[in-house]
Every structure is written in C-alpha cells, then in structure tokens.
Amino acid sequence: MHCVSLYVRGEWFRVPCGGPSVSVRSLGSEALRRYRQAKKLEDGDGEKEFSMRRCQGGELLHPEDRAQDVLEDEDFVQLVFAGENPMAMAPQTSYQEPKEYISLDGESLTTAALVSLGQGLFKIKLTPEAEEKVIKCREVIDAFIREDRVVYGVNTGFGMFARTLIPKEQLVQLQANVIRSHCAGLGAPLSVERTRMLLALRINVLAKGYSGVSKETLDAMLKAFNASCLSWVPEKGTVGASGDLAPLAHLTLGLMGEGRMWSPQSGWADAKAVLEGHGLKPLMLKPKEGIALINGTQLMSSLGAEAVERALGVARQADIIAALSFEALKGTTKAFHSAIHAVRPHPGQMEVAARLRSLLDSDVFPSQISESHRSCDRVQDAYTLRCIPQVHGVVHDTVAFVQKVISTELNSATDNPLVFAETGEIMSGGNFHGEYPAKALDYLAIGVHELASISERRIERLVNPALSELPAFLVQDGGLNSGFMIAHCTAAALVSESKALCHPSSVDSLSTSAATEDHVSMGGWAARKALRVVEHVEQVLAIELLAACQALEFLRPLKTTTPLEKVHELLRSVVSPWDKDRIMSPDIEAAHALVRQQKVWRTVQPYMDEYKNKLKI
C-alpha cells in the first residue's frame, strides 16, 4: 500500500495514503490525530492550522491535491504549524554542526585542512590581517568606479565583449548577468563534501586580498558555509580557463538566492528559501564581484586536493598490503637491504624499502613464515615482489610533487583582473589558467595507477597455484568453489579502465569565447578522472588485502610479523575467512572502507615507530 512518513514536532508517523481521493490535508489531519493520541492531548489542544512540506526539497504541498498525485510511495513530509519556522522544526539529520574553526588567510590552507572542511569538521573565519587586506583591496575598486576609469570586468563586458563599456547605472545588473549566463554546467551535482570544499577554497583565495570583493560579500559567503548552505554545482562544463567559470557561477547563483541549494535541515530546495530559513540574505553583487567570484581554478584545485590526500593515504597503505602478499608468497627480504637503495637514493624508493624492513622479518618483529623458508634455494623473486620499492617509491614521489603544486594553487590569486592595493593598480593577467593543476593531476593519475597495476599482478600470483604453491583461487574444494577467481577479474577490469583514464586531459585544448580564450587546460576533467583512478587503486588494493589475508590462512599455524598479524586481525574484524563460496562484493566493499578510512595505516603505524626507535638504541 502507498504510505508516507510524516514528521510532527519530533515524532514520525507512517500513514497510508488510502484511496485515490485522499487529499494532502487528510494525510496531515491523520498524522496530527496520531500525534495528539501519542502525546495524550485532547482533540481541541494545540494548533489546528498547518502546512505540509517535503523534507527533501522543501516544496510546499497544496492541501487539496490528491496525495497519490504529488507524493511518492515512502515519501517523507513535514507538518508545520502556523507561525513556526519550517527550518527550526525540521527533522534532525546525522549532521553535527562543528564547534571549532579554521582561520583562512589566503596563504596557509593545506590539502588536508581543505578535505577536513569538506567533511564538515570545522567552521571557518578570516584572520584580522586577511580582513584588512580585503577592505583595502575593495577601496581601490570603489576609487576606480568613482573616477570613471575603465577596468576589464568592472565596467566592461567579458571575453570578446571586453571593449564594450557598461554605463555606471548598469554595473550591478552586469554582475548578476555574468553569473546567470555562465551557469551552463551539466551533469550530476558535486557531492555535499566537494561543494563545501569548493566554497571554502573560493573564500580562501578571495581572502588573499587581490580580487576586489567587499568584506560584506565575503562575510555572507562565510555565513553560508558555516550554516552548510550549499549551492547546486554540476560537475561538468569547465575547460579550465578562464578558470572554472561554469561551476563557480553555479556556486555563486545559489548564494544569490537563485537555483537550488542544500542544507542539512532542508535537503535540496529553492535557494532563497534555504537561505531565509537560516536567517541569511541572498547576495547582492557589487561591481567587479561577479567576475571575482567565478574566475579561478577552485574546482580543479579542490577536487585535486581530495585526490592528493586519498592518493597519499592509499600509497602508504599499498606498501603494507604488498608486505602481506610478500609474506604469503614467501619472498626474500634481501632485495630491501638498505645498501641496495642507498646507491639509488630516490626519496620514495628509500622510504618504501625502509617501511618494508619495518614490517617484514627482523630481530624486532620475527616471522615464523619467513623462518620456514629461510633455507630454500630461491635466489630472487619476481619483479612484483622484488621491485616494490622502485615501483611504489616513484608513486610516493609523484604524490609529494603534486601535493606541492596543489598546495601552492590553494593559496594563489587566480582571478582576473587582480587588484594591488599597495600600488593602487588593477592589472589583467592569466593566473586563471589551470595548466599547473591540470598537468599535475594528469601526472597524479598516471603515477598512482601503477599501484593498481602492480597490485593486480600480485593478486594473480596469489590466486595462481603455479606461482603461489597455494590452493587455486585461495579456496578449498576448487571446482565446487571458485574462490577469488572473479575478484581477480574485477581487479583486472579496474586496472584496464584506469589505463584509459590515465590518458592526459591537459594535452587537449579547444579554443573558446570567439578565440579570445584560445588555449585552455581541461583541468576540471583532469581532476575528476584523477579521483576515479585513485578510487580504482583503493578498490584493487582492497582485493589484494583480502587475497593476501586469505592466503595466510593456508600457512597456519605459522604466523607472520606482529604488525602484519595486526592487519590480518583488522580485516578479520569485518570479513571472515573463505571456507566456501559466498557473495564477494560486500567483502570488497568492507576492505575498501578500511583503506579509505586509513585504518590499515593506523593499525601498523605504532609498530613501525617501535621498529625505528629500537634501531636507534
């Protein structure tokens, strides 16, 4: 039967819609009757006048409409009494408003801090120094307008229309026009977390004090961020010069009270209603503010910051997961001797080799598995084992390089024109061009992909009895059971898909804006596909983690080193060993969650520290 859940002052009631003639008002009256009954109120007690809104979207429902015409089965509806603020009475969500603040100054935002802001862990405020710079910068713009001096984007058109002068009485209209016309993005909206990152980063670069926005506008953006009022921003539509115009226009449109906006209390709803529900006013943009809010590299940079942080996490956990496979395949640790890596002293290579030494058989953490094959006649291992430091190492160095580029971009003035309050000058330039982050993020995708490439080959060695001396596909009763056969196929599919995604987007350029913007970076696509590649790497390594731990089951009662046993225990806390076939996808997802949440790294980090400390003694 068609049913709807209605929220009445802190209580949910599931009410059947009944026949086709039942009205929206009738549903509300039934929910109100049940509320009074639950609270032991008389029929005459409490308010009788009410309205009804969808919880997700906030649309006001007409009381005389037929319920089945305007409500979906299992829809969620809020009943609001006359005089009540629908936001204040909205059902509570899992979102917890943060209490702590991060101070933004346009100079010191890190990739990790930006990701934390996206996760809703902090509110933001400006430093006093940043506020002063913003005010002084705006004074330059106001002076130019008073003196009727011609400045691109302040009193001229944009792009091809740069030579078109705009009368002073139309300057405010010019700002709204440029936002609306540039809202041409398509595709799914950015997630809530990524939209938070985008808004926080735009605030940070404006706080640098070279864009010419007023302090009032920046304060309004701060309030919207801290209330988690987030615009609808489609992910597609930027060519990465002049910056990420379409996504940033959509970001600004919601702040103007137009289009759609999300908050934890309202879900997706009309932007003006969401702002007003949080006691906020729509932006009224002043001269120069339209172009200042949309000209810059913040979409590619904010997505790039997430890609970098996830790549950093998966790269160091790849070393740990590779060590598990190494043990299960009975590799020889001689290839990781410090002397070998000292004569080819790439930082990443030496870091990985040292990490492997801290995890594998040593005087600090002995391994029974290693001891069991110490006298074997194997001289050296396959490249997927022997060359882990060389292959993983360059990934670490790649991530470090890209992090440096993105960190610089997070704290750069990237709009046009730029305002220099110290000299009173306004200068046009090309800092909006996204070539730096675009090239770096293409490089990141290529670099981090290699972790999945070599991981998939180690999975092949684990499941292939001719290479592992383990049961085929890591399961007993092969034939009846298929074990990890198709899990390996999934890893291979992900690696193959990533190969295509690793084709650099920044090698492409299409002329736009009537050839005034005749070379572009395609940085938005570089960032989006880098994130997809990183996710594939996480998933392939999750499969390797499952396979390596399953392989260890066949080597019992022998145990590996203490840190690697702890990783095995971690996995077994969410995934049981395979004794017969079962659905594999939930196990892969559980292992992927461990990798995403950095739990593999946090599990072994104390033991690696212990190893280092004992070496110093």
Side-chain angles (χ1 to χ4, degrees), residues 333-354:
T333 59
K334 292 178 182 178
F336 308 141
H337 194 285
S338 59
I340 293 175
H341 302 282
V343 297
R344 195 196 193 198
H346 290 294
Q349 178 178 328
M350 292 192 295
E351 176 188 350
V352 175

Side-chain angles (χ1 to χ4, degrees), residues 318-329:
D319 301 341
I320 301 163
I321 294 168
L324 278 166
S325 295
F326 186 91
E327 275 284 87
L329 294 167

